[in-house]
Amino acid sequence: MTDASSTPAIPVTIYRSDYRAPEWQVPDIALDFALGIDATKVGAALSVVRQADAPVPLTLRGDGLTPAAVRVDGEVWNDWRMDGSDLIVDLGERSAATVEVDTVIDPASNTQLSGLYASGGLLCTQCEAEGFRRITFHPDRPDVLSRYKVRMQGDKAAFPILLSNGNCIEQGEEGSDHWALWEDPWPKPSYLFALVAGDLVVNKDSFTTTSGREVELGIWVRGGDVERTGHAMQALKDSMKWDEEVYGREYDLDLFNIVAVSDFNMGAMENKGLNVFNTRYILADPDTATDVDYDGVEGVVAHEYFHNWSGNRVTCRDWFQLSLKEGFTVFRDQSFSADMGSPPVKRIEDVRLLRAAQFPEDAGPLAHPIRPDSFQEISNFYTATIYNKGAEIIRMMATMVGPERFRKGTDLYFDRHDGEAATCEDFVRAIEEGAGIDLAQFRRWYEQAGTPRLKLSLVEDEGAWSLDVVQTVPPTPGQPEKQPMMMPLRLAAFAMDGSGDALADTLVTITGATQRIALGKFVGRPALSVNRGFSAPIIVDFERGPGELAWLAAHDDDPFARYEALQQLMLDTLVAAVSGKTGDNQAVIDAVGQTLAGAGNDPAFVAEAVLLPSEAFAGDQMVTVDPDAIRRERLALQAAIGAALETKWRAILAGSAPPATDLSRKAKGGRRLRGVALAYLAATGADDAPALAFRIFSDADGMTERQAALATLAHGDSDERAHALDIFYQRYRDNPLVLDKWFQVQAWSLRADTVDAVKALAQHPDFTLANPNRVRSLYGALTGNQAAFHQADGAGYRLIAELVIALDPKNPQTSAKMIPSLGRWKRFDDARQALMKAELERILAQPGLSRDVTEQASKSLVG
């Protein structure tokens, strides 16, 4: 027996091409936990079966662990050694054995929030992607699927509730301790293991499946929070019903539990039968949650529940296939949320997020395909590309084949791979065979990074019009040359002269680098409605005719296309002004005014349509981003629209807000439109705007109106601003989730002193680096505030670099998520480039840097 102290791992690159099937499988595992906040004893008994033809040692992954004892088939075993962090057990000629390993871990010191950690007196786990190896030694790879039996024992006063995966089959007491035995009959990978122990209360309900089986539902929270779980419970039941109706997927256990914890790196985790959630996505009531928060709870609850099939029953073969479960499940939760609310508004929200998060990723140094070829730290690949672009790839397949054929494909996928660890190729092949479509070229979406661009031009021949399409896919790191993608392109064409000539909604499949599409005969140039419903995640370059965008904004029969036309009109005007040209403000004002005329029918859609494009999105249209000019011109355009339509904005605000308890589509849309109206009115500089905003803030019966008014005040320097911030803080200082909003609105502020304000807020007694939500609410919000973050003196860059350096030893995952904000330095002027690169170099110079941050910073520096 040999032992060696573990040393920090040098980042190594792992390649998808090197995948090999596991040499040992673990069909069954029994875990025995003696729970304690400062010391938890873990006994693991792994029934291992050799898959290799010849005898090979058993490699069990570990991270920060030391084995206290190793036994094989009940006997003390000495033929083991440590290889870095891993435990190597030589089993000789055995083809099967039971390997037992005892370890002791300290949950209280686990600030990484990965593995088993303490959170405010609770013990909870987060094992995706590689957290299980921080609990006990194990192969810890997703293609090793096991049936788990888990015994938990702890002090009844400290841990009155003991939860794990599956069903509780036995429980009892031993003096001041009590214990529970949990069994999960479904084989699962180690990343889906979960354990929660502590003082919790429950909201209980039930759901009857299509086959008539009753499932017990529980949402477990801290005392005092259970009243805020009703929306999450309803979302869970709606999700279960929807998945049965749309995908034919019925829940497969008698129990489904959710636990909400305050300290969590992610939004939630889909552990089999025991989902662990960030409290942000469970707790909601009208006083503390906005309509956006309510929608977030509904969407994330649905996402994690849908993983029961798309991720748990069929899991990933390896982490390169991460989008197999995440892209598919995001598509499923987006579809669910659209069905629960407004499909056009949901599509607008999803595309806005894609453009804000994924398009920049695709255009930057961290670009990667949705099925990466390599990584150093898998935690860095929980990205917008994997999730959001991955969902768009699934959506394109569904668009090309239609709902019935897509369902045949997904049925085939689930039936064929149930209980297996599958690949992205397995999914594509199932859609291909089930739907009867050739997806050979489409597979390039899994292989190539970058956002395709379509350059369009209209061609006329004796009154017959055609559309010429030129497709390019830009070079990305490691992929200098690309092949044309296959994509669905929905389009229509209209005569603007009132003749009624039109090409109705048409779906065209683009496959070549060049392609011509016949549109039909028109007298004069038609108005082109292209990429309707955002049928493909692409950038369209098309020079519009005079008045075309304004006409489409008013008349297009596709809601998303109407939204796009108005947004493009605004964007063209804004970019022209930033470039020193004269923008057509009046065309924008007229289009906004015309759109507002339909506010009574669909206020949610109107509120989205009349919002100006973000500063960041405007910057994405420029070769060199000028954040100061973008802010200046955006504020000027906002003021012009606000002043020209002031009467309309005031009329919207003069009416009564819908009650905060009314969560209907129209009520939420009405509140959203009131927030937009207030922002436009405030942009005019009207003398009464601060007082009006403060009155709305004070009179609000719910958080949606209250936060919208506070955010509007936070941009200015009125007495009302300071008063409102103080009132908000005093009212919610004991509510962590709402206090996050207080930090966030100040970091989002358009004021010139925002960076200094963030610096001061980081010293506030209520700010802590220990809670990821609090870090994101302040520093994450600052990185999304383009002009503030890119302040010319580099103060924003220094602030983020200092955060990364301070946070990395405590929580590498959260720290690494801040790096991409520094990584797009090539988009900016020389002075800002030098400042951003200097901060990346400062980060990389730190001793003992984590793999997470090292990979992100080094790739970002190369650019």
Side-chain angles (χ1 to χ4, degrees):
M1 177 181 68
T2 61
D3 193 359
S5 60
S6 61
T7 57
I10 299 172
V12 296
T13 301
I14 300 168
Y15 295 94
R16 179 165 54 88
S17 59
D18 289 341
Y19 172 82
R20 299 293 182 272
E23 295 170 327
W24 293 86
Q25 278 289 352
V26 185
D28 294 280
I29 178 170
L31 299 173
D32 193 337
F33 289 88
L35 300 171
I37 293 290
D38 298 309
T40 289
K41 298 178 181 179
V42 185
L46 286 66
S47 297
V48 301
V49 178
R50 193 177 77 220
Q51 306 298 298
D53 293 334
V56 289
L58 173 67
T59 298
L60 302 176
R61 304 294 183 188
D63 183 356
L65 301 178
T66 300
V70 177
R71 295 177 295 279
V72 174
D73 292 334
E75 298 180 4
V76 174
W77 200 252
N78 294 320
D79 200 359
W80 63 270
R81 60 186 172 85
M82 294 297 294
D83 182 7
S85 299
D86 299 337
L87 172 64
I88 311 298
V89 183
D90 192 339
L91 297 175
E93 299 291 327
R94 284 175 168 83
S95 59
T98 298
V99 178
E100 299 175 77
V101 183
D102 297 337
T103 55
V104 179
I105 55 179
D106 179 6
S109 67
N110 183 1
T111 61
Q112 293 187 31
L113 311 184
S114 172
L116 178 67
Y117 64 93
S119 173
L122 297 178
L123 288 178
C124 55
T125 56
Q126 170 54 34
C127 293
E128 187 176 357
E130 296 177 340
F132 193 74
R133 65 186 63 182
R134 296 172 56 80
I135 298 173
T136 188
F137 290 98
H138 188 271
D140 199 23
R141 46 187 287 175
D143 55 355
V144 174
L145 279 66
S146 311
R147 290 177 295 273
Y148 280 69
K149 187 173 286 188
V150 180
R151 188 181 189 278
M152 307 159 62
Q153 181 167 334
D155 182 77
K156 285 184 292 186
F159 308 113
I161 301 299
L162 304 173
L163 303 172
S164 191
N165 308 90
N167 300 309
C168 185
I169 59 174
E170 195 176 351
Q171 52 189 324
E173 297 186 6
E174 294 181 7
S176 62
D177 280 4
H178 70 147
W179 56 271
L181 184 63
W182 289 78
E183 185 176 49
D184 186 353
W186 298 101
K188 64 176 180 283
S190 54
Y191 81 84
L192 291 174
F193 168 76
L195 171 159
V196 178
D199 190 1
L200 297 164
V201 294
V202 64
N203 176 2
K204 282 193 175 183
D205 208 326
S206 64
F207 178 82
T208 303
T209 68
T210 299
S211 64
R213 188 165 45 83
E214 186 168 305
V215 179
E216 180 182 331
L217 309 177
I219 298 182
W220 298 83
V221 294
R222 296 184 186 278
D225 284 338
V226 72
E227 294 81 7
R228 301 166 64 198
T229 62
H231 183 64
M233 181 62 79
Q234 187 59 52
L236 175 58
K237 292 191 289 185
D238 289 343
S239 303
M240 298 176 81
K241 184 174 186 290
W242 186 90
D243 210 18
E244 290 180 344
E245 293 174 348
V246 178
Y247 282 88
R249 299 296 112 190
E250 187 174 319
Y251 188 61
D252 52 6
L253 290 169
D254 297 328
L255 183 66
F256 187 91
N257 281 319
I258 290 174
V259 179
V261 298
S262 299
D263 302 308
F264 206 67
N265 282 331
M266 301 181 181
M269 180 61 209
E270 70 266 21
N271 318 295
K272 183 72 177 177
L274 178 60
N275 287 184
V276 179
F277 269 67
N278 190 316
T279 51
R280 177 183 176 187
Y281 293 111
I282 288 295
L283 305 181
D285 63 20
D287 182 58
T288 60
T290 65
D291 293 334
V292 171
D293 294 329
Y294 272 96
D295 290 345
V297 169
E298 181 180 70
V300 176
V301 167
H303 180 95
E304 304 308 331
Y305 174 75
F306 295 153
H307 266 313
N308 186 63
W309 277 92
S310 52
N312 296 3
R313 285 285 288 265
V314 184
T315 194
C316 299
R317 186 195 72 178
D318 54 72
W319 291 120
F320 296 101
Q321 319 297 329
L322 181 57
S323 197
L324 171 73
K325 73 182 184 77
E326 295 301 347
F328 186 23
T329 305
V330 169
F331 170 71
R332 277 155 49 77
D333 81 56
Q334 289 175 349
S335 303
F336 165 79
S337 294
D339 285 349
M340 295 296 107
S342 166
V345 171
K346 178 58 179 168
R347 192 64 184 132
I348 288 168
E349 292 170 349
D350 293 337
V351 173
R352 181 183 290 131
L353 177 60
L354 185 80
R355 286 170 167 164
Q358 198 282 319
F359 276 21
E361 192 169 88
D362 247 353
L366 300 176
H368 58 274
I370 65 168
R371 184 184 57 200
D373 294 319
S374 65
F375 62 77
Q376 292 177 359
E377 172 53 57
I378 184 55
S379 295
N380 288 334
F381 280 85
Y382 284 75
T383 62
T385 296
I386 298 296
Y387 282 71
N388 304 88
K389 187 175 182 178
E392 295 298 321
I393 273 62
I394 305 299
R395 185 180 298 274
M396 284 192 288
M397 284 189 267
T399 297
M400 287 190 293
V401 303
E404 291 184 6
R405 291 164 63 201
F406 185 70
R407 170 66 187 272
K408 288 181 180 178
T410 59
D411 282 350
L412 179 60
Y413 168 70
F414 287 127
D415 293 345
R416 178 181 286 173
H417 299 290
D418 187 10
E420 294 182 358
T423 66
C424 293
E425 172 59 26
D426 291 329
F427 182 87
V428 176
R429 188 181 299 115
I431 301 299
E432 197 170 43
E433 295 177 16
I437 185 174
D438 183 356
L439 295 173
Q441 183 182 359
F442 188 83
R443 286 169 169 82
R444 290 174 185 167
W445 284 100
Y446 287 90
E447 302 162 0
Q448 296 186 158
T451 304
R453 303 185 78 104
L454 297 189
K455 184 174 179 58
L456 310 181
S457 55
L458 286 172
V459 180
E460 188 263 344
D461 182 14
E462 297 182 353
W465 290 81
S466 299
L467 182 67
D468 278 354
V469 180
V470 177
Q471 178 189 167
T472 57
V473 186
T476 53
Q479 294 185 336
E481 296 182 3
K482 307 292 178 68
Q483 297 296 313
M485 301 287 214
M486 176 186 186
M487 68 188 73
L489 188 69
R490 281 184 55 209
L491 53 85
F494 307 95
M496 294 191 292
D497 60 5
S499 65
D501 292 340
L503 170 69
D505 187 90
T506 301
L507 183 65
V508 176
T509 301
I510 302 296
T511 56
T514 61
Q515 199 160 329
R516 174 165 287 190
I517 302 166
L519 301 179
K521 289 204 170 186
F522 293 87
V523 178
R525 177 188 171 105
L528 182 67
S529 174
V530 66
N531 206 24
R532 291 155 68 84
F534 206 71
S535 56
I538 58 175
I539 296 171
V540 175
D541 297 319
F542 182 48
E543 189 172 334
R544 297 285 183 173
E548 186 176 348
L549 287 171
W551 190 94
L552 288 167
H555 301 291
D556 201 316
D557 58 2
D558 179 87
F560 182 84
R562 278 204 317 278
Y563 160 82
E564 283 280 85
L566 182 49
Q567 289 289 297
Q568 191 63 52
L569 182 61
M570 292 172 166
L571 192 63
D572 290 349
T573 303
L574 181 56
V575 171
V578 172
S579 304
K581 301 173 185 175
T582 303
D584 190 359
N585 283 10
Q586 192 57 50
V588 173
I589 292 167
D590 291 345
V592 171
Q594 197 165 11
T595 302
L596 285 174
N601 297 325
D602 194 348
F605 171 78
V606 170
E608 298 297 336
V610 301
L611 274 178
L612 284 174
S614 70
E615 292 179 3
F617 190 52
D620 288 340
Q621 318 309 310
M622 305 173 66
V623 176
T624 300
V625 182
D626 185 342
D628 297 325
I630 291 171
R631 171 154 295 179
R632 181 181 65 249
E633 297 301 337
R634 187 179 184 276
L635 286 173
L637 181 56
Q638 188 180 26
I641 297 170
L645 302 173
E646 182 173 348
T647 302
K648 293 181 181 293
W649 303 125
R650 288 187 182 274
I652 291 169
L653 294 169
S656 299
T661 53
D662 185 350
L663 296 178
S664 66
R665 169 184 167 184
K666 191 164 187 177
K668 290 195 288 188
R671 288 189 289 269
R672 174 70 160 152
L673 186 56
R674 283 171 58 84
V676 172
L678 182 60
Y680 269 116
L681 183 62
T684 68
D687 292 340
D688 66 336
L692 177 59
F694 187 78
R695 187 172 76 244
I696 292 172
F697 171 83
S698 302
D699 294 345
D701 68 340
M703 184 54 69
T704 300
E705 288 257 306
R706 188 174 298 120
Q707 182 175 331
L710 182 65
T712 298
L713 287 168
H715 295 316
D717 58 2
S718 63
D719 293 339
E720 289 88 349
R721 175 189 191 271
H723 194 193
L725 284 169
D726 182 59
I727 291 172
F728 193 93
Y729 174 75
Q730 296 300 334
R731 178 170 178 169
Y732 296 111
R733 62 186 304 172
D734 296 325
N735 186 314
L737 290 179
V738 184
L739 200 57
D740 287 340
K741 300 176 187 297
W742 184 78
F743 281 97
Q744 188 177 64
V745 296
Q746 295 176 80
W748 274 343
S749 174
L750 303 180
R751 289 163 54 107
D753 65 350
T754 294
V755 174
D756 290 336
V758 170
K759 203 178 298 184
L761 285 166
Q763 304 305 313
H764 193 280
D766 288 305
F767 183 79
T768 174
L769 291 181
N771 181 266
N773 286 349
R774 190 56 48 85
V775 172
R776 289 187 284 259
S777 72
L778 185 64
Y779 288 99
L782 175 65
T783 64
N785 186 340
Q786 181 169 263
F789 176 61
H790 293 286
Q791 191 170 293
D793 64 359
Y797 308 149
R798 289 192 293 276
L799 207 55
I800 295 303
E802 288 160 5
L803 166 71
V804 169
I805 291 167
L807 186 58
D808 185 51
K810 301 178 177 70
N811 190 331
Q813 286 186 34
T814 301
S815 181
K817 296 298 183 187
M818 298 293 165
I819 296 290
S821 61
L822 294 167
R824 300 193 70 208
W825 51 267
K826 283 187 176 180
R827 299 295 320 284
F828 295 84
D829 58 82
D830 291 346
R832 286 184 171 91
Q833 285 191 23
L835 291 167
M836 295 167 84
K837 289 170 67 177
E839 297 305 330
L840 288 168
E841 289 168 349
R842 180 157 73 104
I843 291 168
L844 283 169
Q846 300 303 308
L849 208 60
S850 70
R851 292 197 311 269
D852 309 61
V853 170
T854 299
E855 180 178 28
Q856 293 285 80
S858 57
K859 288 181 177 178
S860 295
L861 188 59
V862 172

